[in-house]
PDB file of all heavy atoms in Angstrom:
ATOM      1  N   PRO A 127      23.253 -82.084 -32.469  1.00  0.00           N
ATOM      2  CA  PRO A 127      22.398 -82.167 -31.277  1.00  0.00           C
ATOM      3  C   PRO A 127      20.927 -81.961 -31.642  1.00  0.00           C
ATOM      4  O   PRO A 127      20.613 -81.453 -32.725  1.00  0.00           O
ATOM      5  CB  PRO A 127      22.907 -81.040 -30.386  1.00  0.00           C
ATOM      6  CG  PRO A 127      23.509 -80.064 -31.337  1.00  0.00           C
ATOM      7  CD  PRO A 127      24.043 -80.864 -32.495  1.00  0.00           C
ATOM      8  N   PRO A 128      20.022 -82.334 -30.735  1.00  0.00           N
ATOM      9  CA  PRO A 128      18.595 -82.138 -31.019  1.00  0.00           C
ATOM     10  C   PRO A 128      18.246 -80.658 -31.111  1.00  0.00           C
ATOM     11  O   PRO A 128      18.791 -79.830 -30.380  1.00  0.00           O
ATOM     12  CB  PRO A 128      17.893 -82.789 -29.832  1.00  0.00           C
ATOM     13  CG  PRO A 128      18.905 -82.858 -28.755  1.00  0.00           C
ATOM     14  CD  PRO A 128      20.257 -82.918 -29.422  1.00  0.00           C
ATOM     15  N   ALA A 129      17.332 -80.344 -32.022  1.00  0.00           N
ATOM     16  CA  ALA A 129      16.889 -78.962 -32.202  1.00  0.00           C
ATOM     17  C   ALA A 129      15.911 -78.545 -31.112  1.00  0.00           C
ATOM     18  O   ALA A 129      15.806 -77.374 -30.777  1.00  0.00           O
ATOM     19  CB  ALA A 129      16.256 -78.787 -33.577  1.00  0.00           C
ATOM     20  N   GLU A 130      15.187 -79.514 -30.574  1.00  0.00           N
ATOM     21  CA  GLU A 130      14.201 -79.224 -29.533  1.00  0.00           C
ATOM     22  C   GLU A 130      14.014 -80.460 -28.671  1.00  0.00           C
ATOM     23  O   GLU A 130      14.479 -81.547 -29.017  1.00  0.00           O
ATOM     24  CB  GLU A 130      12.870 -78.807 -30.167  1.00  0.00           C
ATOM     25  CG  GLU A 130      12.295 -79.841 -31.115  1.00  0.00           C
ATOM     26  CD  GLU A 130      11.083 -79.323 -31.873  1.00  0.00           C
ATOM     27  OE1 GLU A 130      11.243 -78.366 -32.638  1.00  0.00           O
ATOM     28  OE2 GLU A 130      10.005 -79.889 -31.672  1.00  0.00           O
ATOM     29  N   LEU A 131      13.334 -80.294 -27.567  1.00  0.00           N
ATOM     30  CA  LEU A 131      13.051 -81.413 -26.683  1.00  0.00           C
ATOM     31  C   LEU A 131      12.106 -82.373 -27.391  1.00  0.00           C
ATOM     32  O   LEU A 131      11.069 -81.970 -27.904  1.00  0.00           O
ATOM     33  CB  LEU A 131      12.429 -80.916 -25.372  1.00  0.00           C
ATOM     34  CG  LEU A 131      12.202 -81.969 -24.305  1.00  0.00           C
ATOM     35  CD1 LEU A 131      13.532 -82.611 -23.898  1.00  0.00           C
ATOM     36  CD2 LEU A 131      11.545 -81.351 -23.091  1.00  0.00           C
ATOM     37  N   GLU A 132      12.466 -83.631 -27.449  1.00  0.00           N
ATOM     38  CA  GLU A 132      11.691 -84.649 -28.157  1.00  0.00           C
ATOM     39  C   GLU A 132      11.178 -85.681 -27.169  1.00  0.00           C
ATOM     40  O   GLU A 132      11.659 -85.782 -26.050  1.00  0.00           O
ATOM     41  CB  GLU A 132      12.585 -85.366 -29.187  1.00  0.00           C
ATOM     42  CG  GLU A 132      13.288 -84.467 -30.165  1.00  0.00           C
ATOM     43  CD  GLU A 132      12.390 -83.968 -31.280  1.00  0.00           C
ATOM     44  OE1 GLU A 132      11.252 -84.455 -31.401  1.00  0.00           O
ATOM     45  OE2 GLU A 132      12.835 -83.096 -32.035  1.00  0.00           O
ATOM     46  N   GLN A 133      10.228 -86.480 -27.624  1.00  0.00           N
ATOM     47  CA  GLN A 133       9.850 -87.674 -26.883  1.00  0.00           C
ATOM     48  C   GLN A 133      10.674 -88.812 -27.474  1.00  0.00           C
ATOM     49  O   GLN A 133      10.401 -89.294 -28.569  1.00  0.00           O
ATOM     50  CB  GLN A 133       8.357 -87.987 -27.003  1.00  0.00           C
ATOM     51  CG  GLN A 133       7.966 -89.205 -26.208  1.00  0.00           C
ATOM     52  CD  GLN A 133       6.529 -89.612 -26.411  1.00  0.00           C
ATOM     53  OE1 GLN A 133       5.741 -88.886 -26.990  1.00  0.00           O
ATOM     54  NE2 GLN A 133       6.189 -90.797 -25.937  1.00  0.00           N
ATOM     55  N   TRP A 134      11.740 -89.206 -26.771  1.00  0.00           N
ATOM     56  CA  TRP A 134      12.686 -90.185 -27.285  1.00  0.00           C
ATOM     57  C   TRP A 134      12.099 -91.588 -27.290  1.00  0.00           C
ATOM     58  O   TRP A 134      11.295 -91.952 -26.423  1.00  0.00           O
ATOM     59  CB  TRP A 134      13.955 -90.190 -26.444  1.00  0.00           C
ATOM     60  CG  TRP A 134      14.596 -88.850 -26.316  1.00  0.00           C
ATOM     61  CD1 TRP A 134      14.776 -88.143 -25.163  1.00  0.00           C
ATOM     62  CD2 TRP A 134      15.125 -88.036 -27.360  1.00  0.00           C
ATOM     63  NE1 TRP A 134      15.392 -86.946 -25.441  1.00  0.00           N
ATOM     64  CE2 TRP A 134      15.617 -86.857 -26.777  1.00  0.00           C
ATOM     65  CE3 TRP A 134      15.232 -88.189 -28.748  1.00  0.00           C
ATOM     66  CZ2 TRP A 134      16.212 -85.842 -27.521  1.00  0.00           C
ATOM     67  CZ3 TRP A 134      15.821 -87.177 -29.481  1.00  0.00           C
ATOM     68  CH2 TRP A 134      16.309 -86.023 -28.869  1.00  0.00           C
ATOM     69  N   VAL A 135      12.537 -92.403 -28.238  1.00  0.00           N
ATOM     70  CA  VAL A 135      12.180 -93.816 -28.250  1.00  0.00           C
ATOM     71  C   VAL A 135      12.854 -94.454 -27.045  1.00  0.00           C
ATOM     72  O   VAL A 135      14.059 -94.336 -26.851  1.00  0.00           O
ATOM     73  CB  VAL A 135      12.643 -94.504 -29.547  1.00  0.00           C
ATOM     74  CG1 VAL A 135      12.409 -95.997 -29.477  1.00  0.00           C
ATOM     75  CG2 VAL A 135      11.931 -93.907 -30.764  1.00  0.00           C
ATOM     76  N   SER A 136      12.058 -95.138 -26.220  1.00  0.00           N
ATOM     77  CA  SER A 136      12.582 -95.773 -25.011  1.00  0.00           C
ATOM     78  C   SER A 136      12.360 -97.281 -25.091  1.00  0.00           C
ATOM     79  O   SER A 136      11.709 -97.790 -26.010  1.00  0.00           O
ATOM     80  CB  SER A 136      11.886 -95.205 -23.774  1.00  0.00           C
ATOM     81  OG  SER A 136      10.532 -95.617 -23.750  1.00  0.00           O
ATOM     82  N   PHE A 137      12.880 -97.995 -24.109  1.00  0.00           N
ATOM     83  CA  PHE A 137      12.729 -99.444 -24.081  1.00  0.00           C
ATOM     84  C   PHE A 137      11.268 -99.861 -24.100  1.00  0.00           C
ATOM     85  O   PHE A 137      10.900-100.812 -24.788  1.00  0.00           O
ATOM     86  CB  PHE A 137      13.430-100.041 -22.854  1.00  0.00           C
ATOM     87  CG  PHE A 137      13.226-101.524 -22.744  1.00  0.00           C
ATOM     88  CD1 PHE A 137      13.854-102.384 -23.637  1.00  0.00           C
ATOM     89  CD2 PHE A 137      12.381-102.058 -21.784  1.00  0.00           C
ATOM     90  CE1 PHE A 137      13.648-103.759 -23.555  1.00  0.00           C
ATOM     91  CE2 PHE A 137      12.172-103.418 -21.695  1.00  0.00           C
ATOM     92  CZ  PHE A 137      12.804-104.273 -22.582  1.00  0.00           C
ATOM     93  N   SER A 138      10.425 -99.152 -23.374  1.00  0.00           N
ATOM     94  CA  SER A 138       9.003 -99.528 -23.342  1.00  0.00           C
ATOM     95  C   SER A 138       8.360 -99.427 -24.724  1.00  0.00           C
ATOM     96  O   SER A 138       7.392-100.132 -25.007  1.00  0.00           O
ATOM     97  CB  SER A 138       8.234 -98.685 -22.320  1.00  0.00           C
ATOM     98  OG  SER A 138       8.254 -97.329 -22.689  1.00  0.00           O
ATOM     99  N   ASP A 139       8.911 -98.593 -25.597  1.00  0.00           N
ATOM    100  CA  ASP A 139       8.371 -98.451 -26.952  1.00  0.00           C
ATOM    101  C   ASP A 139       8.753 -99.611 -27.863  1.00  0.00           C
ATOM    102  O   ASP A 139       8.079 -99.858 -28.863  1.00  0.00           O
ATOM    103  CB  ASP A 139       8.873 -97.155 -27.603  1.00  0.00           C
ATOM    104  CG  ASP A 139       8.423 -95.914 -26.865  1.00  0.00           C
ATOM    105  OD1 ASP A 139       7.238 -95.851 -26.469  1.00  0.00           O
ATOM    106  OD2 ASP A 139       9.252 -95.010 -26.678  1.00  0.00           O
ATOM    107  N   VAL A 140       9.842-100.314 -27.557  1.00  0.00           N
ATOM    108  CA  VAL A 140      10.343-101.365 -28.451  1.00  0.00           C
ATOM    109  C   VAL A 140      10.427-102.738 -27.781  1.00  0.00           C
ATOM    110  O   VAL A 140      10.897-103.685 -28.392  1.00  0.00           O
ATOM    111  CB  VAL A 140      11.722-100.978 -29.032  1.00  0.00           C
ATOM    112  CG1 VAL A 140      11.615 -99.716 -29.888  1.00  0.00           C
ATOM    113  CG2 VAL A 140      12.762-100.805 -27.947  1.00  0.00           C
ATOM    114  N   ARG A 141       9.967-102.874 -26.575  1.00  0.00           N
ATOM    115  CA  ARG A 141      10.150-104.132 -25.844  1.00  0.00           C
ATOM    116  C   ARG A 141       9.472-105.322 -26.481  1.00  0.00           C
ATOM    117  O   ARG A 141       9.835-106.466 -26.248  1.00  0.00           O
ATOM    118  CB  ARG A 141       9.716-103.970 -24.390  1.00  0.00           C
ATOM    119  CG  ARG A 141       8.230-103.835 -24.216  1.00  0.00           C
ATOM    120  CD  ARG A 141       7.838-103.874 -22.742  1.00  0.00           C
ATOM    121  NE  ARG A 141       6.408-103.749 -22.648  1.00  0.00           N
ATOM    122  CZ  ARG A 141       5.776-102.768 -22.062  1.00  0.00           C
ATOM    123  NH1 ARG A 141       6.458-101.834 -21.449  1.00  0.00           N
ATOM    124  NH2 ARG A 141       4.471-102.718 -22.047  1.00  0.00           N
ATOM    125  N   MET A 142       8.475-105.096 -27.339  1.00  0.00           N
ATOM    126  CA  MET A 142       7.761-106.199 -27.979  1.00  0.00           C
ATOM    127  C   MET A 142       8.394-106.630 -29.306  1.00  0.00           C
ATOM    128  O   MET A 142       7.932-107.572 -29.929  1.00  0.00           O
ATOM    129  CB  MET A 142       6.299-105.812 -28.214  1.00  0.00           C
ATOM    130  CG  MET A 142       5.549-105.420 -26.937  1.00  0.00           C
ATOM    131  SD  MET A 142       5.659-106.653 -25.631  1.00  0.00           S
ATOM    132  CE  MET A 142       4.501-107.852 -26.244  1.00  0.00           C
ATOM    133  N   LEU A 143       9.474-105.985 -29.733  1.00  0.00           N
ATOM    134  CA  LEU A 143      10.131-106.345 -30.980  1.00  0.00           C
ATOM    135  C   LEU A 143      10.761-107.732 -30.892  1.00  0.00           C
ATOM    136  O   LEU A 143      11.329-108.100 -29.869  1.00  0.00           O
ATOM    137  CB  LEU A 143      11.234-105.350 -31.321  1.00  0.00           C
ATOM    138  CG  LEU A 143      10.848-103.946 -31.711  1.00  0.00           C
ATOM    139  CD1 LEU A 143      12.096-103.129 -32.005  1.00  0.00           C
ATOM    140  CD2 LEU A 143       9.923-103.948 -32.901  1.00  0.00           C
ATOM    141  N   GLU A 144      10.650-108.485 -31.972  1.00  0.00           N
ATOM    142  CA  GLU A 144      11.396-109.732 -32.094  1.00  0.00           C
ATOM    143  C   GLU A 144      12.775-109.357 -32.604  1.00  0.00           C
ATOM    144  O   GLU A 144      12.904-108.795 -33.692  1.00  0.00           O
ATOM    145  CB  GLU A 144      10.701-110.681 -33.072  1.00  0.00           C
ATOM    146  CG  GLU A 144       9.375-111.233 -32.582  1.00  0.00           C
ATOM    147  CD  GLU A 144       9.557-112.176 -31.397  1.00  0.00           C
ATOM    148  OE1 GLU A 144      10.573-112.908 -31.355  1.00  0.00           O
ATOM    149  OE2 GLU A 144       8.691-112.170 -30.506  1.00  0.00           O
ATOM    150  N   PRO A 145      13.840-109.650 -31.842  1.00  0.00           N
ATOM    151  CA  PRO A 145      15.168-109.215 -32.261  1.00  0.00           C
ATOM    152  C   PRO A 145      15.668-109.965 -33.491  1.00  0.00           C
ATOM    153  O   PRO A 145      15.313-111.125 -33.710  1.00  0.00           O
ATOM    154  CB  PRO A 145      16.037-109.525 -31.051  1.00  0.00           C
ATOM    155  CG  PRO A 145      15.315-110.599 -30.313  1.00  0.00           C
ATOM    156  CD  PRO A 145      13.854-110.359 -30.577  1.00  0.00           C
TER     157      PRO A 145
END
Side-chain angles (χ1 to χ4, degrees):
E130 57 188 63
L131 185 61
E132 306 282 351
Q133 181 185 349
W134 305 117
V135 173
S136 69
F137 176 71
S138 63
D139 298 316
V140 297
R141 71 172 180 243
M142 302 307 283
L143 291 180
E144 291 292 325

